[in-house]
Structure formats: C-alpha cells, structure tokens
C-alpha cells in the first residue's frame, strides 16, 4: 500500500506556478545539475499511433538533490482539433526519489511543459544573449512564441518585439497579445530577414521542417534560441548557421544530434566542431558562454526530462504551500 | 482542457479484477494481437537511481482494436523494506487511443501487473503444458509463486503442488497458502531436482542470477514457464536447457534476447535456433505449440506492455460496470 497521493488539476497548477524568475531559477538549477554528470536521464520513450495520427512521448530524469523525480507523459494527437479537442495534453507523475512512491499526479495538460520550455529559453538568453537587447524577434505565433518572449524579457528588459509567422494574421494576433501582456511595443513583421536584422535576440518556435532562419541573416551580436525542433525531421535553422556562429550550444548533446538543429548540420556533413558545449556547462561555468558583444550565439533546445523533474518538484512545493490539491488515500 | 478522469485505487481494482479465466482471455488476446504485427510496442524505458537502490521502468503498447492504451510506471526501490514499505509499487495511466486524453489513473501499486503476469503464465500453460498435469512445481515462494499456481490451475486442474525456495520456511508458508486458497495438496520440497522430476508443469518465479533449474533435470512431457527474468543479469534456467528442449517460446523475442532466459543462451554461444516462436504466434495458430505429450517445452516471459494495455483496459471496463472510482474534472 502506498501513501497518500496529491492530485493537482491544471487550474490549481496555473495558480501555483507562474512563468517568473523563480521558475527560471529552478530550470537553471536543473541545467547545472545536468552538467554535473550526476543526473540520470534515459532516452525518451516514444510511441506512434498512426491510426489516430497520434504519438506519445515519455520523459524522465533523476537529479541528485531533488526530493522527487517526475515522469512526464505527453500525448500529441493531431486530428483532435477536428473533434474540438486540443492536440497536446499530458500529465506528470511525481515520485519520491527515496522510496519510489507516487507523491503527486500533476494533471497539467501540458501547462508545466509550457512553463519549463519557456524558462529554458530564459536561461539561454540570460547566459548567451548580448547584455543589451533593444529588440527581440520571434518566429512563429503559437503559445511558445508568446511565452518565450515573456520569459526572455525576465532576463533582458527589451522594449520592442517583432513577430513573423507564415500566417500574417496570426503574427498580428500574437504581437497584439504580447503588447497586452507585457505593455511593450510589438508588431508583426512581414519579412523574417528584416526581423532578424533588427533584433539582438531571436527565438524560433515553429515545427518547421525547412529552415526559417537563414545563415546569411546572422549579424554580429545576435543570439538565436531555436526551441521548435524536438523530433528527427524538424529543422528551423539553416544548418550552415550552426557552423558560422561563434558559439553553438545544445541543451543535451545526445538529444540535439538526434532531435535538434544539430541533427541537420551533422546529416549535411557541415558539423566539424566535435562535441559542442551544453547549456548546463555554461550555467555552471565549466565552459565559457558569450565572450564578446559581437559574437553570434545559437542555443538548441530539444527539451529535457531534467526540466520536467525540476518544474514538477517546484510545482508540488508551491501547491503544497498554497494548500492546493485533493488527496487520495490508496 | 481534458475530459473527466476516473481514479481507481488498489482496493477498488482488487474488487473489480480477479485472476480468473476472463483475465486470462484478455491477456491471451493481447498476445494474439502482438503476433499480428500491428501492435506498437516501444522498448522499455528504464532508469536506475543508485543512490536509493531504486529503479523505475515504463512500459506501453498500442493494440489495434483496444479503446485505450496504458502507460505503466513500475518503481522498484529495494531499500524500502528497511523503512517498512514495499519494494514494488507503481500505477498505470489509461489513455484514449483515439484522442490521447487521460481516461483513468489506476493506482494499483502493482496489483494489475501481478494479475497480468500470472495470466500470461496461464496462457503459456494452456498452449504448451501437456494435457494431463497431475503435479505442478513452483520454484520461488513470493507473490508470483502463489499467483502462477493459481493461474495455471485455471487451465490445468492439477491436484498437487510442490514448492521449492532457498528458504525452506518460506517454501512451507507458500505451500500452506496454496492449500488454503485452492484446497489442494501442496507441500515444500527440499530438493529442486526432485520437484522437477515429479512435476509435469514447473514455473520459475525467482530473481535468480544463476540457474535454479538444470538442463539435466528435463524429462519427457515437461513444460517450464520461466517468469522471473526481466533484466539483463537475471537467469533462472540453465541455458543448455533452452537448446535441449523440443520447443522454446518467447513472449517477445526482442525482449527475451535482452532481458530473458534467451539472453544467457545467446551470450554463451549455445543458441543456434534462429528466431524462436513467440507465444502470440502459438496462441493465434500461426506456429505450432506442443506437438506431442513427450515434448519438452519452455516458455520465457519477460512481461510486455501489450499485457499492461490489455489488463488496464479490462480493469477500467470492469470498474465502470461496478460503478467504482472517483472522478476528477480537469
């Protein structure tokens, strides 16, 4: 028989966890732990269900020093919108790292993933973007386009945002939402090359399978965070850009070479840089980050189980403090 | 936002699902589906947490024709008994195979795994044991020793059971429990060779890393089900026995060659039999099972995600019919 299990709904988790500097610090700590080599993070379990145009991914990681570890299950069923349902869902299960007993079920429908993904963008911007960012650009106009800008602004207080997306109306809606949320100037930009030219920080947030950011657009002092690619087949950044940038950083090399931007650069025979640094190595100071205001930096985020364990542990503590959740005795 | 989620506790699941012929039929159906080649079953995700002498496994499978698919999380924390807690725990999450939405959380603490594992033993005995079994032997004296005998008796109504375990007192307690549950003669046997000699059906249920059943003990008409090995490093059956038996059957070849008895036979260079048949191929009739009363047969069970999906779907239907469970709106 197990102990009591706390159940937290999406609404309760949204109240308990916000995309703020505290959440960014928790995810930053997870990256530092990842670099310590003591994290246990098995490869992602992935299952396709072609009959329903669906897939499900399971991620986990054990981080020494954290009381718990999370197992995250993320289904993506891409015919759901036809049924009036969201494509993405999922939950996290938080286990005691000491006993393996289930501590909590976080029925977040992907909310905590949204937060930890955006928080990773903030960690990348904090350590890699130039000190002065006047304009931030975002490519894509979905949930992460909004959240990545919100997160990046926690560490670089820019006053202006440009948004490009294939669908100009969606880019305009996204810009309008950013202005409403952050109270800063934001507008849709019709030319992605101009967006990059005017920005010191660019975040790509698309499921693109052909690059949306060209190597020729790189300019001194630019930082790019590519967070869209999380599967073989996706590719947002011109593979040549990875080679031409002064610094390319992976969230996890073993994942980026299979699922991230690095995969395309390797596949095209362009990557000759050996093992690139990981974000956690830069966070922990064991490898250098940006070395000059002129350097071009690129960070490739595929999403790690370590981030899930970190945000789930944090969410549970926050919810407990707020007295949120219901308890099931088993 | 997701739909309502049903939560079922261990007590509710124990009331809804029993180890009976209906459960055996559901697991048999899962094996048949596995043989059809249409099941999607990714490799097991496994993570060790050495600091707590723990491990956690995640299994899943999609079976066409089943409304849902299960993701099962099984932690094993082997220092727990020192804390007065069970080593094994876990839960299953049942998702809609059409939308990926969470349908139910089955907080079974491993109960459904116990049932589906024992039911697989019954499927093996049904298709591979000789028609007449007077005496069944079991090696090991844990939960599965009891349940494997209970399950096998659903398909072969033997009247006598012999139990061997390293600890004779545990073997005696196990035999006494079997008599109490099934109302048949059961006794501890001090010599495993004699146990095998007197039995027509033997089930091995140990975490042994050195064989507990010798090839020299095989005799005409014997069927052996080895269900203990589920990790590289475990080995219950003398590898030579796999070669000398007239028929060796795997639950899943790709798992048995890494985690089952087949692994040791391959590692020692003894296995020359090519790809062995799978239990599902015998269930579905595409490959022959036992061909004579004298044949020696061995079935190697490592445990499959298909069994988990089958038992979870079955449990949910049974609980729903019984009106069991609480509902969380998310």
């Amino acid at each position: 028989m197990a102990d009591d299990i706390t159940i937290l709904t999406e609404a309760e988790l949204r109240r308990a966890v916000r995309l703020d500097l505290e959440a960014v610090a928790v995810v930053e700590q997870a990256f530092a732990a990842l670099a310590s080599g003591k994290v246990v993070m098995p490869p992602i379990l992935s299952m396709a269900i072609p009959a329903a145009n669906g897939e499900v991914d399971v991620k986990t990681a054990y981080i020494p020093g954290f009381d718990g570890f999370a197992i995250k299950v993320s289904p993506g069923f891409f015919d759901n919108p036809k049924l009036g349902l969201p494509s993405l869902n999922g939950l996290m299960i938080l286990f005691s790292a000491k006993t393996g007993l289930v501590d909590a079920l976080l029925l977040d429908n992907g909310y905590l993933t949204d937060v930890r993904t955006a928080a990773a963008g903030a960690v990348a911007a904090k350590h890699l973007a130039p000190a002065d960012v006047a304009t931030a650009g975002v490519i894509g106009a979905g949930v992460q386009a909004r959240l990545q800008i919100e997160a990046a602004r926690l560490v670089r207080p820019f006053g202006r945002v440009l948004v490009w997306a294939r669908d100009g109306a969606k880019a305009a809606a996204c810009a309008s939402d950013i202005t409403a949320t952050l109270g800063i100037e934001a507008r849709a930009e019709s030319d992605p090359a101009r967006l990059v030219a005017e920005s010191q920080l660019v975040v790509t947030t698309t499921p693109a399978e052909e690059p949306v950011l060209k190597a020729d657009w790189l300019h001194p002092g630019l930082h790019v965070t590519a967070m869209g690619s999380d599967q073989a087949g996706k590719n947002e950044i011109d593979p040549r850009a990875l080679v031409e940038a002064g610094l390319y950083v992976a969230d996890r090399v073993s994942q980026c070479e299979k699922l991230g931007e690095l995969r395309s650069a390797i596949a095209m025979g362009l990557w000759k840089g050996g093992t690139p640094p990981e974000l956690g190595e830069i966070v922990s100071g064991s490898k250098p980050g940006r070395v000059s205001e002129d350097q071009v930096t690129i960070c490739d985020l595929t999403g790690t189980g370590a981030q899930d364990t970190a945000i789930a542990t944090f969410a549970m503590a926050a919810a407990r403090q707020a007295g949120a959740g219901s308890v099931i005795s088993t």
Side-chain angles (χ1 to χ4, degrees), chain A:
Chain A
M1 299 282 152
D3 279 327
D4 288 348
I5 296 176
T6 300
I7 297 181
L8 293 161
T9 63
E10 180 182 345
E12 290 167 328
L13 290 163
R14 282 184 181 270
R15 281 192 294 271
V17 177
R18 293 177 182 283
L19 179 53
D20 55 19
L21 280 173
E22 213 181 342
V24 172
V26 165
V27 169
E28 187 175 34
Q29 191 190 345
F31 278 112
L34 208 49
S36 74
K38 288 173 188 154
V39 166
V40 185
M41 193 165 79
I44 300 163
L45 180 157
S46 192
M47 178 168 75
I49 301 181
N53 193 16
E55 63 182 40
V56 59
D57 282 353
V58 182
K59 290 184 181 180
T60 188
Y62 164 71
I63 310 177
F66 279 70
D67 294 339
F69 65 91
I71 290 187
K72 180 174 81 171
V73 184
S74 309
F77 278 62
F78 303 102
D79 291 342
N80 277 3
K82 293 179 204 162
L83 307 169
L85 297 168
S87 296
L88 302 176
N89 283 288
L91 78 165
M92 296 192 191
I93 312 162
L94 186 64
F95 294 84
S96 159
K98 198 176 165 195
T99 65
L101 293 178
V102 177
D103 206 11
L105 299 165
L106 313 181
L107 308 177
D108 70 319
N109 296 317
Y111 171 67
L112 295 176
T113 299
D114 284 345
V115 171
R116 66 79 151 147
T117 302
V123 174
K126 177 178 170 186
H127 293 276
L128 294 167
D132 294 322
V133 176
T135 299
V138 63
I139 293 185
V143 171
Q144 276 296 318
R146 290 155 172 86
L147 294 182
Q148 287 288 338
I149 288 298
E150 203 177 321
R153 196 157 180 278
L154 294 169
V155 298
R156 291 292 185 276
F158 43 80
R160 182 169 172 255
V161 175
L162 301 175
V163 183
W164 179 84
R166 279 186 310 183
D167 181 333
K170 287 186 179 162
C174 180
S176 159
D177 284 352
I178 289 168
T179 294
T181 307
L182 299 176
I184 56 174
E185 181 194 343
R187 66 169 178 80
E189 165 59 61
S190 59
D191 178 0
R194 200 157 53 209
L195 175 147
V196 175
E198 295 190 17
S199 302
Q200 294 80 49
L201 164 63
V202 171
V203 189
T204 59
T205 66
T206 74
E209 299 184 359
E210 297 290 335
V212 291
L213 191 150
K214 299 280 174 12
D216 292 342
W217 303 348
L218 300 180
H219 57 81
L222 176 67
H223 171 71
V224 177
T225 294
M227 58 68 54
S229 183
D230 57 356
Q231 276 177 38
K234 294 188 185 175
N235 177 207
E236 293 191 292
I237 310 292
D238 187 342
R240 195 157 55 80
L242 270 62
V243 182
E244 295 186 4
L247 179 63
Y248 163 85
V249 178
D251 60 353
R252 189 66 165 174
V253 172
S254 57
Q255 289 190 183
C256 289
E257 57 193 19
K258 284 185 194 148
L259 311 171
E261 300 302 329
L262 185 56
R263 184 192 59 82
S264 304
I266 292 171
M268 293 177 68
L270 293 171
W271 183 258
K272 313 276 184 204
T275 303
E278 291 189 349
L279 183 55
E281 293 175 310
I282 291 165
V283 166
S284 65
S286 69
K287 292 200 181 162
R290 170 175 289 272
V291 293
S292 75
E293 286 300 302
D294 278 355
Q295 195 177 29
V296 175
T297 53
I298 297 179
C299 187
D300 191 356
L301 299 178
T302 53
T304 67
Q307 288 161 258
D308 298 319
T309 279
I311 202 75
T313 309
F314 175 67
M316 181 59 193
R320 194 164 271 160
Q321 201 165 11
S326 35
V327 172
I328 292 244
S329 293
T330 62

